[in-house]
Amino acid sequence: MSDTNSANSNRVPFFYDVTLRDGNQALAKPWNNEEKEKVYLQLLRLGVQGIEVGFAAASDMDFESCKGIAKLTASMAADGDEASKNVVVASLARANKTDIERAWEAVQYAPRPRIHTFIATSKLSMEHVLKMTPDQVRTRAVESVALAKSLVGTKGDVQFSAEHFGDSGDNMDFVISLLKEVVAAGATTINLPNTVERYRPMLYVEQVKRVVEALPKDIHVAVHCHNDLGMATAATVESFFVGATQLEVALNGLGERCGNTNAYEVAVVLYNCGVPVAMNLAFIYETALLVSQWSGVNIYSRAPLIGSEAIIHRSGIHQDGASKTKGMKKGAYRPIDYALIGRSENDSISFTSQSGRTAVYEIISGFGYRLSLEEASELQPILKEFSEKEGELSADRVLDVFRRERCNVNGRLIFNNVEVLPGEGRFVFYFKKDGESVVKSETAEGPIEACLMLMRDIGMPVELVKYRQLVVPASDKLWAGRGLSRIILKAGSKTVEGRGISSDTLKANMRALFSGVNLLYK
């Protein structure tokens, strides 16, 4: 184990993407050659180091696709594109002469071509699927690798996969001896597929570790995990830490049945663990959205990192933690700073019956309004009552309740109008108090002073603490651009903020003051 740990300190993961082969073959409508090329170019942009571009012997179209991508890579490399110069371009081939020759005919044009040949090594598959003896499988594997090596020469390399390796726990001695022979025949990458995930990841990882320790140190051990039980990422990541270097992954986790190991999850986990990751992580979110569009496979809303729900907090406790760590690289309730993967938003807070005052504060603040935590606390039970009937409240719905409860607030007083008689220094107020219409004038130097005098005269005295005249934030589409008056008032030991909104600044001021009085004298 110490040798493996030492090796880990010097190794970097080699991301080998199988979206164009495993992912594509599992699509209800597989990509045509033009569509495959788009995916391939996005893979280069993402920075994966190896790409399995198809199964050349599967069909004429697949052959032409593999060949076309290999030639495109050569052309881009000739033009100086560094990613094209360095990427491994591979075709899958069964362990037979026809497949292997067809694979080489297709990918030979790439600067770094690879033939990837495979045969099953588990007892179940050898006996019931291949109907071959272990010795026959061994002979076929060695001969196939030798043929592939003779074709690639020094230009390319050979990868061999022991299919159904995850099922080979009961014949590991045979598998290891076979792998040693295919290495001697010319394979430099040995892939250990968990073709069907059946057991806990560490059983598979222990098998991987045995192979790593048994093979020469210059051989690259690869892992290829399917997600039948939802643990492909865990199995892949832990395999790296016992010595596997090539990690076979797929964009958006595409692949047969429940899919292949998700490329994004593995890359981010390793990054979080301090492992150097050569992929361009900032293109992950962009890539995920494009692949979903191109494949017609929707992204599950709660998919790690890329799902729409991945950044949303609804619980009051979670919302509080998210708010307090907002702007920090490490958030209380998120795995990364989502800017790492090119996602613009880190923490999104919505309101449900489980939400607390933090949700109210963050949502209203998001519209550009300023409010206190005390105000948020007062609004929370009102919003909770709505949410219990309506379900999750949209940000606009929360804003609507904020407007009703904290702007131009009606209560015991209802403001109708104010008439200014400048020559007399008089202000005439038209309003209702406790349902009855009132007209009352005050003489003062300005309207706010006059309104404060009015409140004293009608038995609802208040003290002016602070006054500001602003404009409604642009994010509030309903009232954007109107005047916003914020007047903080005090009565006894209680302080409130009255907000008045109107295209007329004078009326905005009066509505703010009336609103504050209504909040103080409920």
Side-chain angles (χ1 to χ4, degrees):
M1 186 66 180
S2 59
D3 288 345
T4 302
N5 282 337
S6 176
N8 282 337
S9 63
N10 298 316
R11 289 182 307 117
V12 294
F14 183 93
F15 284 90
Y16 180 91
D17 188 90
V18 298
T19 307
L20 289 171
R21 202 271 298 169
D22 260 17
N24 183 59
Q25 74 186 34
L27 295 180
K29 185 177 181 295
W31 289 311
N32 59 34
N33 292 353
E34 183 180 346
E35 291 167 331
K36 279 188 173 183
E37 188 175 300
K38 286 196 300 186
V39 177
Y40 178 74
L41 293 174
Q42 189 65 25
L43 284 164
L44 291 182
R45 181 173 169 82
L46 189 60
V48 299
Q49 297 114 304
I51 303 173
E52 194 159 282
V53 296
F55 189 167
S59 67
D60 288 342
M61 187 174 82
D62 222 16
F63 172 80
E64 291 300 330
S65 175
C66 293
K67 182 178 177 180
I69 288 174
K71 286 188 170 183
L72 172 65
T73 308
S75 175
M76 292 172 64
D79 290 338
D81 182 76
E82 291 300 320
S84 301
K85 291 178 185 178
N86 297 315
V87 70
V88 169
V89 174
S91 169
L92 187 69
R94 289 168 296 187
N96 66 57
K97 184 174 184 291
T98 302
D99 275 20
I100 291 168
E101 289 177 343
R102 194 69 165 157
W104 179 243
E105 189 181 349
V107 299
Q108 62 180 307
Y109 305 97
R112 296 186 63 189
R114 174 180 291 181
I115 297 173
H116 173 196
T117 188
F118 72 97
I119 194 167
T121 58
S122 71
K123 287 182 177 180
L124 175 72
S125 294
M126 288 190 291
E127 181 179 351
H128 297 285
V129 180
L130 298 179
K131 301 190 183 302
M132 295 170 66
T133 66
D135 283 342
Q136 288 173 322
V137 168
R138 183 197 307 271
T139 300
R140 177 76 64 84
V142 172
E143 289 177 350
S144 297
V145 169
L147 172 61
K149 179 59 181 174
S150 72
L151 294 173
V152 303
T154 58
K155 182 178 182 182
D157 62 22
V158 178
Q159 172 171 324
F160 174 79
S161 287
E163 192 193 14
H164 286 285
F165 174 80
D167 280 351
S168 299
D170 55 355
N171 67 335
M172 281 292 289
D173 290 340
F174 161 75
V175 173
I176 289 173
S177 69
L178 180 152
L179 294 177
K180 287 179 177 178
E181 290 191 40
V182 298
V183 165
T188 53
T189 299
I190 296 298
N191 183 37
L192 309 173
N194 204 10
T195 310
V196 179
E197 185 174 55
R198 306 184 197 275
Y199 314 111
R200 63 188 180 95
M202 290 312 292
L203 292 179
Y204 168 77
V205 172
E206 283 299 316
Q207 290 176 220
V208 172
K209 180 171 175 282
R210 280 190 63 183
V211 172
V212 169
E213 293 173 345
L215 295 183
K217 299 306 177 187
D218 60 340
I219 296 301
H220 300 290
V221 173
V223 289
H224 176 109
C225 299
H226 282 262
N227 202 36
D228 298 274
L229 298 179
M231 297 181 287
T233 295
T236 300
V237 169
E238 291 306 317
S239 292
F240 174 80
F241 287 104
V242 297
T245 298
Q246 179 171 295
L247 310 177
E248 303 204 357
V249 294
L251 303 179
N252 293 31
L254 294 178
E256 295 283 7
R257 305 180 309 280
C258 305
N260 289 69
T261 306
N262 190 305
Y264 321 133
E265 295 167 15
V266 175
V268 171
V269 169
L270 292 177
Y271 173 87
N272 276 0
C273 293
V275 175
V277 175
M279 281 174 54
N280 298 318
L281 302 180
F283 295 127
I284 283 178
Y285 192 53
E286 167 194 296
T287 301
L289 298 180
L290 287 172
V291 170
S292 175
Q293 176 188 333
W294 294 337
S295 65
V297 178
N298 293 331
I299 297 172
Y300 172 47
S301 63
R302 296 190 184 276
L305 301 174
I306 60 173
S308 59
E309 294 277 331
I311 59 172
I312 293 177
H313 308 283
R314 292 192 177 90
S315 152
I317 293 171
H318 284 225
Q319 290 170 339
D320 182 61
S323 177
K324 288 174 178 174
T325 55
K326 183 170 56 178
M328 294 172 62
K329 292 288 184 184
K330 187 174 183 179
Y333 291 101
R334 56 180 158 80
I336 58 169
D337 176 357
Y338 277 94
L340 175 72
I341 64 168
R343 196 164 182 174
S344 59
E345 192 174 12
N346 252 340
D347 298 294
S348 178
I349 291 176
S350 60
F351 194 93
T352 72
S353 59
Q354 303 298 306
S355 300
R357 68 176 186 177
T358 299
V360 184
Y361 179 84
E362 290 291 340
I363 292 169
I364 298 304
S365 297
F367 282 102
Y369 285 102
R370 293 179 64 89
L371 78 163
S372 66
L373 285 174
E374 183 180 356
E375 286 182 296
S377 295
E378 292 172 356
L379 288 171
Q380 187 267 345
I382 299 170
L383 287 160
K384 182 176 179 179
E385 187 175 344
F386 281 117
S387 182
E388 286 172 348
K389 297 174 183 175
E390 302 171 22
E392 182 175 75
L393 304 181
S394 68
D396 285 335
R397 182 75 174 101
V398 174
L399 177 62
D400 182 58
V401 173
F402 166 77
R403 290 195 200 103
R404 192 192 72 187
E405 298 291 332
R406 282 294 183 275
C407 304
N408 298 347
V409 177
N410 289 324
R412 291 183 62 191
L413 303 179
I414 299 176
F415 172 78
N416 290 322
N417 198 12
V418 60
E419 184 180 355
V420 182
L421 304 174
E424 305 174 28
R426 234 169 15 102
F427 300 86
V428 182
F429 295 91
Y430 299 84
F431 63 100
K432 285 185 178 180
K433 180 185 179 189
D434 298 327
E436 294 189 11
S437 295
V438 179
V439 178
K440 189 167 178 57
S441 67
E442 298 286 352
T443 301
E445 291 186 5
I448 292 179
E449 180 188 1
C451 194
L452 291 170
M453 293 169 63
L454 171 70
M455 296 306 163
R456 183 191 61 206
D457 291 348
I458 63 172
M460 303 172 82
V462 292
E463 176 186 345
L464 175 66
V465 177
K466 192 175 182 180
Y467 160 74
R468 287 194 72 185
Q469 182 66 47
L470 305 164
V471 175
V472 172
S475 299
D476 183 345
K477 303 301 182 186
L478 180 64
W479 285 345
R482 297 185 188 183
L484 166 62
S485 294
R486 296 175 57 211
I487 296 181
I488 298 177
L489 301 173
K490 185 177 180 181
S493 60
K494 187 173 182 182
T495 301
V496 301
E497 179 169 326
R499 296 176 182 84
I501 293 171
S502 174
S503 54
D504 181 320
T505 301
L506 174 61
K507 287 184 178 178
N509 288 338
M510 296 302 99
R511 284 174 174 164
L513 218 151
F514 270 72
S515 291
V517 172
N518 280 324
L519 292 170
L520 286 168
Y521 289 92
K522 288 186 177 180

